[in-house]
Amino acid sequence: AQKITQTQPGMFVQEKEAVTLDCTYDTSDQSYGLFWYKQPSSGEMIFLIYQGSYDEQNATEGRYSLNFQKARKSANLVISASQLGDSAMYFCAMGEDSNYQLIWGAGTKLIIKP
Amino acid sequence: EAGVAQSPRYKIIEKRQSVAFWCNPISGHATLYWYQQILGQGPKLLIQFQNNGVVDDSQLPKDRFSAERLKGVDSTLKIQPAKLEDSAVYLCASSSTSGTSYEQYFGPGTRLTVT
């Protein structure tokens, strides 16, 4: 069965430091997508970054990059130069290319300290 | 480009009452999703529409929940009668599945409290 695991329930990071949020996945599909979303305390779910299973290069979007290691089935999110506004819940999700559904991890609560 | 719209933002009802949520997706997005998110958990898919047809409603508690997407644009989700355990945030998302990436864009959600 397909599954997403986020092993860090919470993290504290000093402002301006880089942070890595872990995500591992399990699937027998060859074609799939990996997504990261941010959910601030206000509740909206914000799309951050996408990586396709056939993409050879790691995805980057501004301060966000996705460290994709296909053989290890991991898709860690790296946030460079963290800011106070990065404090939020972060969810990793895996998409099934066959039906466009997302399977969600339990989330990691990130708190940036000034 | 306007985002996903949802209303109401908050709703408080008593158990056994009924409630309805509305969602208007991003223009042109064929796929619409309704999720239930319990505090501290990831979203749980309730139903997925492709245009005005249901793709997957396997996790929708059909004895009390119903959803429709007439004309393939906006959608309503109804709960009748509500239970205490239905207290959650109900998220609507839409996606364009015509490209190589199919990220979902979410509305602000409706926070439901059942007392």
Side-chain angles (χ1 to χ4, degrees):
Chain A
Q2 288 153 324
K3 187 178 179 182
I4 290 282
T5 302
Q6 294 181 254
T7 57
Q8 306 152 309
M11 287 186 70
F12 286 89
V13 173
Q14 200 69 37
E15 187 181 10
K16 298 180 185 172
E17 289 184 350
V19 57
T20 298
L21 304 180
D22 295 341
C23 173
T24 58
Y25 61 93
D26 190 16
T27 182
S28 55
D29 289 348
Q30 296 300 309
S31 183
Y32 52 89
L34 295 155
F35 302 78
W36 277 93
Y37 283 82
K38 171 184 179 182
Q39 189 173 42
S41 57
S42 54
E44 74 268 31
M45 193 74 82
I46 302 166
F47 166 70
L48 295 178
I49 196 166
Y50 163 82
Q51 177 89 38
S53 58
Y54 292 111
D55 295 339
E56 295 186 353
Q57 298 224 351
N58 287 339
T60 60
E61 288 288 347
R63 293 188 299 113
Y64 304 108
S65 60
L66 199 153
N67 184 1
F68 181 46
Q69 298 187 43
K70 195 170 182 176
R72 296 181 60 188
K73 293 188 175 179
S74 76
N76 298 339
L77 177 71
V78 179
I79 306 174
S80 62
S82 58
Q83 302 170 358
L84 295 179
D86 294 333
S87 293
M89 282 290 287
Y90 287 81
F91 290 95
C92 178
M94 180 172 64
E96 301 181 25
D97 289 1
S98 58
N99 62 15
Y100 308 118
Q101 290 184 6
L102 298 185
I103 299 160
W104 296 81
T108 295
K109 184 168 186 176
L110 175 65
I111 297 174
I112 307 298
K113 299 183 292 182
Chain B
E1 180 182 76
V4 177
Q6 284 189 253
S7 67
R9 291 294 312 276
Y10 306 91
K11 191 74 177 179
I12 301 174
I13 61 173
E14 295 182 351
K15 59 183 179 184
R16 291 187 290 273
Q17 286 187 324
S18 63
V19 64
F21 313 127
W22 174 82
C23 172
N24 193 35
I26 291 174
S27 177
H29 279 191
T31 309
L32 185 148
Y33 310 80
W34 282 102
Y35 290 93
Q36 180 191 61
Q37 188 178 23
I38 304 290
L39 187 64
Q41 299 180 14
K44 170 190 169 185
L45 179 68
L46 293 175
I47 189 167
Q48 176 188 359
F49 291 96
Q50 178 79 11
N51 296 307
N52 61 351
V54 175
V55 174
D56 186 352
D57 63 358
S58 58
Q59 297 195 85
L60 188 73
K62 298 181 187 64
D63 58 334
R64 298 183 301 106
F65 286 64
S66 64
E68 60 182 12
R69 191 185 184 196
L70 301 177
K71 301 180 182 178
V73 182
D74 56 349
S75 175
T76 56
L77 176 70
K78 296 178 182 177
I79 308 175
Q80 181 179 8
K83 292 185 176 182
L84 295 176
E85 59 260 36
D86 298 332
S87 294
V89 176
Y90 291 84
L91 296 167
C92 178
S94 70
S95 174
S96 169
T97 52
S98 59
T100 55
S101 172
Y102 44 94
E103 63 268 19
Q104 297 178 16
Y105 293 92
F106 285 77
T110 297
R111 186 176 299 274
L112 174 67
T113 302
V114 182
T115 63

